[in-house]
Amino acid sequence: MAKRARVAILISGRGSNMAALLYAAKRQGCPYKVVLVASNDPDARGLAVAAAENIPTFSHSHKGMEREEFDALIHDALREADADYVVLAGYMRILSSGFVEKWEGRMLNIHPSLLPKYKGLDTYQRAIDAGDTVSGCSVHLVTPTLDDGPVLGQTEVAILADDTPEKLATRIRIAEHQLYVRVLEDLVSRELDPDWLVGKVNQLALELPQTHAKTSHGSPGWRVGTEKSGKFFAYVSVHHHGEDAVALLVKTSGTDEQAALIEAEPDIYYRPAYYGASGWIAVRLDTGAVDWDHIASWLRKSWSFVAPKKLQPLVEFLGD
Ligand code: GRF
């Protein structure tokens, strides 16, 4: 079976979304597994639910701690569990921006409104008071601003004439449980989809100066220079030359660096067929948890090896 993404769930209370995600993960073929449930409240009811399902739990009260200090504790627990993704499910803590940055693109939240409407608390009452006929829930990526990141999915829930906040909340929660599972499955699956991986590399490669995409022997590639005489600085190999991997091919300083990288991190690097002889390296993209900053820095480095001298100053300001 394909590798399953490792998901940690943060809760503060009941944990019904956590339970929905946990039970969904029992389905054979579910693309994620829950590796940790953590809480800022040692009495959170969801912790017992997770423990009864043999999921490792971690809890520590945030009381009396600085926000950064507490978030560092949670971050350590996430690292220890080797989590690829963090899912907030009723986690009632404002997160420090340092913590959010560390999990950028890999941390989700669920919110009981149709964002951007009704950020913050009392969403049900506010929707009813406004006379809305529909409310619902949203799953979004977490950014430093509260309830503000890109929305990945929403479900509308009709408001009834005699709705109270409690009644509406109960129905929205049913929708939440289904939406959260679906969005999480989609998010973790796309990182194993070759087309999505190529698109992501394309976006990063074209951010570099004077670059364009060009197919080479059937593989997607990127060149620096003019359309006429540009030189390749990156390719993506999708099961090419009989390899089972999807990988980024970039130039190193030579075969010494190439060998050192493969020895140090054999799970990430390998010597690609054909290009390997001239010091190119393959960086695996099919691990399910690619560090895209790392990929961006490889693209920059490879660009620098290949780009004409007169273009070099253009990337110096980008750093490594
Ligand atoms: C949910 O309504 C969710 O939208 C909000 O907090 C609540 C958590 O409920 N962020 P539960 O703990 O998952 O039951």
Side-chain angles (χ1 to χ4, degrees):
M1 194 172 127
K3 181 184 181 294
R4 302 170 83 187
R6 300 174 64 84
V7 169
I9 306 178
L10 303 188
I11 62 169
S12 295
R14 178 180 44 215
S16 70
N17 277 284
M18 179 273 300
L21 292 161
L22 209 63
Y23 303 149
K26 293 184 180 189
R27 177 177 68 82
Q28 245 209 340
C30 179
Y32 69 85
K33 66 175 171 188
V34 180
V35 294
L36 177 73
V37 173
S39 181
N40 62 314
D41 178 357
D43 297 325
R45 275 196 289 142
L47 287 171
V49 174
E53 299 289 346
N54 298 317
I55 304 295
T57 60
F58 171 85
S59 68
H60 197 289
S61 172
H62 61 274
K63 287 187 188 137
M65 287 178 85
E66 294 287 335
R67 194 172 300 284
E68 282 73 17
E69 193 191 352
F70 182 75
D71 284 357
L73 207 66
I74 295 288
H75 184 69
D76 287 347
L78 297 172
R79 295 315 295 243
E80 189 115 322
D82 200 15
D84 300 324
Y85 293 86
V86 179
V87 169
L88 307 181
Y91 187 59
M92 301 304 280
R93 297 279 305 155
I94 305 261
L95 301 167
S96 56
S97 51
F99 181 86
V100 174
E101 268 163 33
K102 288 195 190 98
W103 292 96
E104 197 196 330
R106 299 189 173 280
M107 181 155 58
L108 291 176
N109 183 40
I110 190 154
H111 184 75
S113 78
L114 296 174
L115 290 172
K117 271 190 155 180
Y118 312 130
K119 298 177 179 180
L121 297 174
D122 291 328
T123 55
Y124 317 105
Q125 187 72 64
R126 285 154 70 199
I128 292 169
D129 289 351
D132 293 354
T133 53
V134 296
S135 185
C137 49
S138 310
V139 172
H140 64 96
L141 286 169
V142 177
T143 56
T145 313
L146 187 71
D147 299 331
D148 194 55
V151 171
L152 302 184
Q154 292 185 315
T155 303
E156 291 187 357
V157 173
I159 298 180
L160 307 187
D162 65 347
D163 257 342
T164 60
E166 291 72 28
K167 284 187 195 167
L168 180 58
T170 304
R171 293 202 313 287
I172 289 184
R173 210 167 299 120
I174 296 170
E176 286 186 4
H177 298 164
Q178 297 169 13
L179 179 70
Y180 223 171
V181 169
R182 180 168 62 74
V183 171
L184 180 62
E185 289 195 357
D186 286 354
L187 182 72
V188 306
S189 303
R190 71 179 194 184
E191 290 222 22
L192 297 170
D193 170 6
D195 289 342
W196 187 84
L197 293 168
V198 168
K200 186 82 185 168
V201 170
N202 184 56
Q203 183 197 332
L204 295 173
L206 297 185
E207 276 170 16
L208 293 164
Q210 297 206 13
T211 52
H212 57 272
K214 193 174 168 72
T215 307
S216 162
H217 304 287
S219 288
W222 293 270
R223 307 200 310 175
V224 50
T226 61
E227 293 276 348
K228 230 173 155 190
S229 63
K231 283 189 174 166
F232 282 99
F233 67 96
Y235 306 90
V236 169
S237 162
V238 181
H239 312 302
H240 220 54
H241 298 287
E243 287 155 2
D244 68 352
V246 179
L248 172 72
L249 270 47
V250 280
K251 211 167 160 57
T252 67
S253 57
T255 45
D256 285 351
E257 186 187 7
Q258 181 200 56
L261 288 164
I262 295 167
E263 193 179 329
E265 288 183 276
D267 292 344
I268 297 184
Y269 297 111
Y270 67 92
R271 188 183 153 105
Y274 184 61
Y275 297 101
S278 40
W280 286 63
I281 189 120
V283 191
R284 290 192 76 133
L285 297 172
D286 55 354
T287 58
V290 175
D291 176 346
W292 290 105
D293 290 340
H294 181 234
I295 296 298
S297 85
W298 264 119
L299 288 167
R300 271 200 303 275
K301 219 171 125 176
S302 192
W303 183 98
S304 303
F305 283 132
V306 173
K309 274 219 161 54
K310 64 176 193 309
L311 290 183
Q312 296 289 343
L314 291 177
V315 282
E316 260 151 37
F317 73 96
L318 294 171
D320 187 44

